[in-house]
C-alpha cells in the first residue's frame, strides 16, 4: 500500500469532519502563527535598532557636558557647559584609542539661497565628524581641518537642502547661502543617506566648520563646547577602554577629587547596542517558550481527537483488518492523519502569522522581517508534534482485535 | 495452488473456543473437527447461539481459538502472526458477513477496491478489477453510489463484489441472504453456485432450509458441536431463475 494512498485516506477522513479537524488544528495554527508573527516583529525591531545604531557610526562614544548623576535637582545633560575646546584637544592627543573626536554643535535656522529659503538644521563640527559617519560628497569636497582653524565660511549641504534651495538636480557648488544673514559658500553636496528608521531626513542638514559656527552663528567664540562631542574608538573592543581613558583624563583636567562626581557624562553606544540586543534575545526566548507551550497544547488536542476518532471508527478498523489491512497499515493511516492535521495546521499558521506580521507592518508602520528559517523550524516542530501525539492513538488502533473491532457498538 | 492438490482446503482439528464472560468460560465451540475439500459448497445450519458465527470467524482467520489446529490450503494458520493472518484474509478469503458492511460515505467502486489497496495493486488495475466485480454482481450502473444511496440487497451485492475482487479460493458468507427478498436471494445463490463451478470453495451460514438446499453439503450445529454433516442433492439456482422468468408474467 503506497504512501499516497494512505495520505488520501487520511485527507478524506479529515474532510469528513471539516469543522472538527479545523478546531483540532487550531492549537497548532495559533502556535505556529504566534511564532511566525512574533519573530517577524522581533526581528524587524532588531534590524531597525541595528540600522539606527549603525547610522550613528561605529564604536561610538558620546561625551556630554553636565553631571551624570541622577540624584538631586540637577538639570539634564548638557545644561551646564563643562567641556572646553582644550579638553577635546587633550583627548585627541592623549587618548590613543580615540580615532575621531568631533564636537557637534547644532541649531535650527532658516537658510536662504538664491531665491528660495528653507528651515533646516545647521551643524558646526570638524572633518572628524564625516569620518565617524563615513560620509562622502557626491559633488565638491568636505571642509578640512584648515577651514576649522581659520574659520572659513564654507558649507557642505545635504541633498534635501540643495533641492529646496536650488531646485532638484541643480549643482549647488560655489553658490552662496545665507545662514542668519551670514553668507557661506557651498563647497560640497553630501551623499544622500535617506531617512532614519524613525523618519528623520538625514539629508536635511547644513554642515559648517565649528569655529565659523561658534563665531558667526552662535555668536562669539567661547571657551566651552556648547554641544555634544562624538568620539569614535579604534575598534568595538576599545570602546570601554577609550571611555575609561577619557573619563580619567577629564577628571584630572577638571580637578575632580576622588569621591566627587563627574561633571560630564559618557555614553557608550556599543554597550547600549549590546544591551538592547541582549534584551531582544531574552524576548525571543520568552516568545519561543510561549510558542512551545501552545504547540504542546495543540498536540494534546490532536491526541484527544485522534483517540476519539479511533473509538468512533472501531468498526471501520475491523472492516479494514478483515479484508487484509495489516496492523502497520492501520497505524500508518492514523499516524498520517495526525501528521497531516498538524502539518496543514502549521501551513495555515505560517500563512496566518505572515498575514498578521504584514498587517502590523502596514497598520503601525512597524518594520517586520519574515524569517523562512523560523518558518521551516516551526513546520518541523508541528510535524514532530503530529507524530509524537498521533503515535499512541495510532498504535492503539493497530492493536485492535478484528473481531472485537467489528462487534464494537 | 499446487502445494496442496490432494489436501483439503480447510482442515480444522479439535477446535474449541471459550468466551470469558464474568469469569465463567462460555464454550461457544467444543472440539470441532471440520474439513472442506476444494470446490465444495457447504451450508451450516443450526439454532441461534449454536456457534455458527464463531466457527465462521475462525474459518476466516479473524479470531484465534482457545485450542485446536487449523490448516488452510495446507498452511498452519496459527503459526503466523497478525500480519500473516492479515495476508491470508486478503489473499485466500472473501467475506460476505452481515456484520461486515461497507465503508460509509465511500462509493461502491472504492469499497470494492479496498482489498486490492491492501494487496498493493496499482490504482488503474484496481479500478478496472473493481468495476468488473461490480458488473458481475449486476451493479455496473451503480459504481459511484454511496452505501446510503443503495438498497439493502444492492449493498449486499457490493459486499459480494468486494469478497470476489481478489478472486480468493474461499468464500465465507454468514447469512448473506438475511436482508434480501427471495428473488434477490436466488440471484445471490446462483452467483455462489457459479463460483463453485469455477472452483471457489463456498461456506455459508443460513437459517433458511430453502437456501441450504442449494449447497452440496449441509452441516448442522448444536451447542458448539457439529451434530450432522450430510451431502445434499443441490438445486440449481440458475435453472430456477430461468423457470421463474418463464412463470413470472412480464
Ligand atoms: N464476543 C462474545 N463474548 C461472549 N460470548 C459470545 C461472544 N460471541 C458469541 N458469544 C456466545 O457464543 C455462543 C455462540 O455464538 P454465535 O454468534 O457463534 O452463535 P450463532 O450460531 O452465530 O447464532 P445466530 O444464529 O443467532 O447468529 C452464544 O452463546 C453467544 O452468546
Ligand atoms: Mg451468527
Amino acid at each position: 500500500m503506497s504512501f499516497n494512498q494512505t495520505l488520501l485516506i487520511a485527507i478524506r477522513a479529515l474532510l469528513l469532519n471539516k469543522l472538527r479537524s479545523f478546531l483540532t488544528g487550531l492549537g497548532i495554527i495559533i502556535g505556529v502563527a504566534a511564532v511566525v508573527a512574533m519573530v517577524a516583529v522581533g526581528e524587524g525591531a532588531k534590524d531597525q535598532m541595528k540600522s539606527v545604531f549603525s547610522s550613528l557610526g561605529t564604536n561610538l562614544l558620546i561625551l556630554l557636558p553636565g553631571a551624570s548623576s541622577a540624584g538631586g535637582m540637577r538639570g539634564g545633560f548638557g545644561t551646564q557647559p563643562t567641556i572646553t575646546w582644550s579638553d577635546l584637544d587633550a583627548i585627541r592627543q592623549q587618548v590613543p584609542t580615540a580615532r575621531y573626536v568631533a564636537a557637534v554643535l547644532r541649531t535650527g535656522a532658516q537658510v536662504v539661497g538664491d531665491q528660495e529659503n528653507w528651515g533646516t538644521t545647521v551643524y558646526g563640527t570638524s572633518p572628524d565628524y564625516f569620518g565617524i559617519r563615513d560620509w562622502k560628497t557626491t559633488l565638491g569636497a568636505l571642509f578640512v581641518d584648515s577651514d576649522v582653524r581659520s574659520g572659513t565660511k564654507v558649507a557642505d549641504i545635504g541633498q534635501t537642502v540643495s533641492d529646496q534651495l536650488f531646485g532638484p538636480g541643480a549643482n549647488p557648488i560655489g553658490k552662496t547661502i545665507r545662514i542668519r544673514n551670514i553668507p557661506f559658500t557651498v563647497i560640497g553636496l553630501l551623499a544622500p543617506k535617506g531617512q532614519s528608521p524613525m523618519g528623520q531626513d538625514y539629508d536635511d542638514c547644513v554642515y559648517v566648520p565649528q569655529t565659523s559656527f561658534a563665531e558667526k552663528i552662535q555668536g562669539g567664540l567661547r571657551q566651552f563646547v556648547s554641544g555634544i562631542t562624538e568620539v569614535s574608538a579604534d575598534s568595538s573592543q576599545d570602546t570601554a577602554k577609550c571611555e575609561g581613558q577619557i573619563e580619567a583624563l577629564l577628571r584630572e583636567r577638571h580637578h575632580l577629587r576622588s569621591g566627587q562626581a563627574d561633571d560630564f557624562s559618557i555614553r557608550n553606544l556599543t554597550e547600549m547596542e549590546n544591551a538592547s540586543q541582549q534584551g531582544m534575545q531574552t524576548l525571543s526566548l520568552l516568545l519561543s517558550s510561549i510558542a512551545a507551550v501552545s504547540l504542546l497544547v495543540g498536540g494534546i488536542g490532536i491526541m484527544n481527537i485522534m483517540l476519539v476518532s479511533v473509538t468512533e471508527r472501531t468498526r471501520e478498523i475491523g472492516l479494514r483488518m478483515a479484508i487484509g489491512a495489516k496492523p502497520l497499515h492501520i497505524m500508518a493511516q492514523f499516524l498520517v492523519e495526525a501528521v497531516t492535521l498538524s502539518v496543514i495546521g502549521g501551513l495555515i499558521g505560517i500563512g496566518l502569522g505572515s498575514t498578521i506580521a504584514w498587517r502590523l507592518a502596514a497598520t503601525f508602520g512597524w518594520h517586520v522581517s519574515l524569517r523562512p528559517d523560523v518558518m521551516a523550524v516551526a513546520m518541523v516542530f508541528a510535524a514532530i508534534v503530529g507524530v509524537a501525539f498521533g503515535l499512541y492513538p495510532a498504535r492503539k488502533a493497530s492493536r485492535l482485535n478484528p473481531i472485537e473491532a467489528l462487534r464494537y457498538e | 495452488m499446487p502445494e496442496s492438490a490432494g489436501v483439503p482446503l480447510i482442515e480444522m482439528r479439535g477446535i474449541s473456543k471459550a468466551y470469558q464472560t464474568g469469569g465463567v468460560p462460555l464454550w461457544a465451540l467444543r472440539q470441532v473437527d471440520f474439513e472442506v475439500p476444494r470446490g465444495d459448497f457447504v451450508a451450516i445450519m443450526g439454532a441461534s447461539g449454536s456457534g455458527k458465527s464463531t466457527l465462521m470467524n475462525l474459518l476466516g482467520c479473524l479470531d484465534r481459538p482457545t485450542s485446536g489446529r487449523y490448516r488452510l490450503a495446507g498452511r498452519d494458520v496459527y503459526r503466523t502472526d497478525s500480519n500473516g493472518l492479515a495476508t491470508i484474509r486478503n489473499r485466500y478469503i472473501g467475506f460476505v458477513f452481515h456484520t461486515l458492511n461497507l465503508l460509509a460515505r465511500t462509493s461502491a467502486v472504492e469499497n470494492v477496491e479496498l482489498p486490492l489497496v491492501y494487496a498493493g495493486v496499482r490504482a488503474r488495475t484496481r479500478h478496472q478489477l473493481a468495476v468488473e466485480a461490480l458488473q458481475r454482481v449486476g451493479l455496473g450502473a451503480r459504481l459511484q453510489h454511496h452505501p446510503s444511496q443503495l438498497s439493502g440487497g444492492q449493498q449486499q451485492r457490493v459486499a459480494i463484489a468486494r469478497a470476489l475482487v481478489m478472486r480468493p479460493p474461499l468464500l465465507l458468507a454468514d447469512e448473506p441472504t438475511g436482508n434480501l427478498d427471495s428473488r434477490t436471494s436466488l440471484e445471490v445463490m446462483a452467483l455462489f453456485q457459479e463460483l463453485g463451478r469455477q472452483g471457489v470453495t463456498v461456506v455459508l451460514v443460513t437459517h433458511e432450509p430453502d437456501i441450504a438446499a442449494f449447497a452440496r453439503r449441509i452441516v448442522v450445529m448444536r451447542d458448539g458441536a457439529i451434530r450432522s454433516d450430510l451431502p445434499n442433492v443441490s438445486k440449481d439456482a440458475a435453472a430456477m431463475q430461468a423457470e421463474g422468468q418463464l412463470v413470472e408474467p412480464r
Side-chain angles (χ1 to χ4, degrees), chain A residues 353-375:
Chain A
S354 308
T355 312
I356 290 172
W358 181 78
R359 294 291 312 164
L360 286 175
T363 317
F364 299 107
W366 291 359
H367 269 251
V368 301
S369 117
L370 289 171
R371 289 270 303 266
D373 53 338
V374 169
M375 293 182 193

Side-chain angles (χ1 to χ4, degrees), chain A residues 5 12 315 320-321 323, chain B residues 89-90 101 110 118 126:
Chain A
Q5 189 66 34
R12 272 176 146 230
R315 282 179 57 81
R320 287 180 182 275
M321 284 178 158
I323 59 178
Chain B
R89 290 196 292 269
N90 188 241
N101 29 35
E110 284 174 307
Y118 291 112
R126 215 158 63 201

